[in-house]
Amino acid sequence: MARLAPSFGHLVFILSLLQVSVVCQTPDNVNSLLTNLFANYNNKIRPVNDQSLPIVLDVSMFLFSVNAVDEVNEKLVTTGFLGLTWTDDLLQWDPTLQNEIFIIFLPQKDIWKPDLVLKNGFKKLTEMGGDFYFLSISNFGDVYWYPYEVFETRCSIDITYFPYDKQTCNVTFIVWSYSADEVIITKSSGGIDFYEYEENSVWTIVSTDSDIKKDSYESEITFTITLQRKPRYYVMNMILPVVCLGLLSLLVFIVPADAGEKMSYSVTVFLAFAVFLTIISAELPVNSESTSILSFYLVLQLMIGALVLIISSIQLRLHYRKSSRGMSKFFVAIVRIDQFLRCVKRYRLCCKKDVTTVENFDKNEEEQSTELEAAIEWSDVTNAIDFLCFWFLLLVNVGLTMFLFLYITGS
């Protein structure tokens, strides 16, 4: 079998081993280098040879996870770290004179570093990193600092289209003490980089961006995160049960008034709907600046349920009236509309249900109206109310539901 040629990575590894075997730095070599570098070093002075020139600070952000989005407090909690890079002119050396030492590691408190702070945070301004953080410094003076933080930032929340809402949050960093003439921020990436990112169970990241603001007074960088809420949980556990309860409340108009169960059924469905609303109210985001369309939908469904309860009460009152004499023209009109719609539905010229018939089409309208009013009973009125209210409220309910989904999903 032919032997495989070594890859480029293998060659680099072999050469590095040869280099290590030839050149070996001792603690005395590193100690000597640090003694020379810090002989006249002061971490309170900007490390630039020409103090009239600014230090160029490259800022990147690496995101681990989106921990939480608090709608009530309008707070975004994320976990990640910053990648800060700048050049320290006072920490440069020639590796050939220092036994081939190309890089050293020092605690962050030992050298100068920019006072970069979180501008739109919830807590007081604190120093990035900590005493246990080490910075890497190359022989060219390039300093690399990666402070890890849990960022709690303010974020304006708009819940109008909940649970299909998108939220745009900013994470802003600013050099607090130095002006833009002393420390200027740049960026090497167009947005936020992901480092071993863990997906959030409620929110997914749609896009990221970064922007730099520069003026004569301050220099700051803003990282923008656009989040999309995952709606499946809220649709399955909130919207669909409400839609089903709304349709169940309309079935009261199918229950005959003589059955004696119309009122009890209506009250039972209304109470079930009210109890369910109290349960899901805890799941709705609280925000006084914007109101969710879903909240309006729930209120409308509750009002429809109350309207169904009122109509059912009036129906039972009318159904058990004994005499139909002196019936108002309003109830007569309801029966006429019911008969007309039934005729249209059945493709007939005219129809009735044990009420009246039109035997002679040559009769004038007054005679037909008089015969109709004389034959109408209160049971016919309640049947007409059942028919009209069921189809009317069904169309209203379906229309509201379709509007809700089309409006909030099309946002």
Side-chain angles (χ1 to χ4, degrees), residues 242-254 262 265-266 269-270 297 299-313 315 341 384-402:
V242 170
V243 173
C244 292
L245 285 175
L247 296 177
L248 284 177
S249 66
L250 301 182
L251 296 182
V252 69
F253 297 114
I254 300 179
K262 181 182 285 287
Y265 177 84
S266 180
V269 174
F270 181 78
Y297 177 75
V299 173
L300 289 176
Q301 286 284 13
L302 186 62
M303 293 175 63
I304 291 175
L307 180 62
V308 170
L309 186 59
I310 294 173
I311 294 175
S312 299
S313 303
Q315 271 188 288
L341 294 178
I385 292 176
D386 279 335
F387 179 81
L388 296 177
C389 289
F390 175 79
W391 289 106
F392 175 74
L393 293 179
L394 179 63
L395 292 177
V396 171
N397 202 318
V398 172
L400 287 175
T401 304
M402 292 182 62

Side-chain angles (χ1 to χ4, degrees), residues 227-359:
L227 301 169
Q228 171 72 60
R229 193 191 300 268
K230 298 178 181 178
R232 180 181 301 177
Y233 170 81
Y234 302 98
V235 172
M236 297 298 295
N237 295 277
M238 294 175 55
I239 298 179
L240 289 183
V242 170
V243 173
C244 292
L245 285 175
L247 296 177
L248 284 177
S249 66
L250 301 182
L251 296 182
V252 69
F253 297 114
I254 300 179
V255 179
D258 294 330
E261 298 293 334
K262 181 182 285 287
M263 197 62 190
S264 60
Y265 177 84
S266 180
V267 172
T268 301
V269 174
F270 181 78
L271 291 178
F273 190 78
V275 172
F276 183 74
L277 286 184
T278 58
I279 295 175
I280 67 175
S281 61
E283 299 291 335
L284 292 175
V286 180
N287 194 317
S288 297
E289 299 296 330
S290 60
T291 304
S292 172
I293 297 177
L294 180 60
S295 299
F296 284 112
Y297 177 75
L298 296 177
V299 173
L300 289 176
Q301 286 284 13
L302 186 62
M303 293 175 63
I304 291 175
L307 180 62
V308 170
L309 186 59
I310 294 173
I311 294 175
S312 299
S313 303
I314 297 175
Q315 271 188 288
L316 293 177
R317 180 71 176 178
L318 297 176
H319 184 77
Y320 290 103
R321 284 187 176 182
K322 296 180 179 180
S323 177
S324 60
R325 293 181 180 181
M327 183 180 296
S328 67
K329 295 183 179 180
F330 173 75
F331 296 115
V332 176
I334 291 178
V335 176
R336 286 180 175 178
I337 295 174
D338 174 58
Q339 290 181 337
F340 174 77
L341 294 178
R342 291 177 187 271
C343 291
V344 173
K345 179 181 178 182
R346 298 175 184 178
Y347 299 97
R348 296 179 182 178
L349 178 64
C350 185
C351 63
K352 71 174 184 66
K353 187 176 182 180
D354 299 329
V355 178
T356 187
T357 59
V358 180
E359 299 176 352

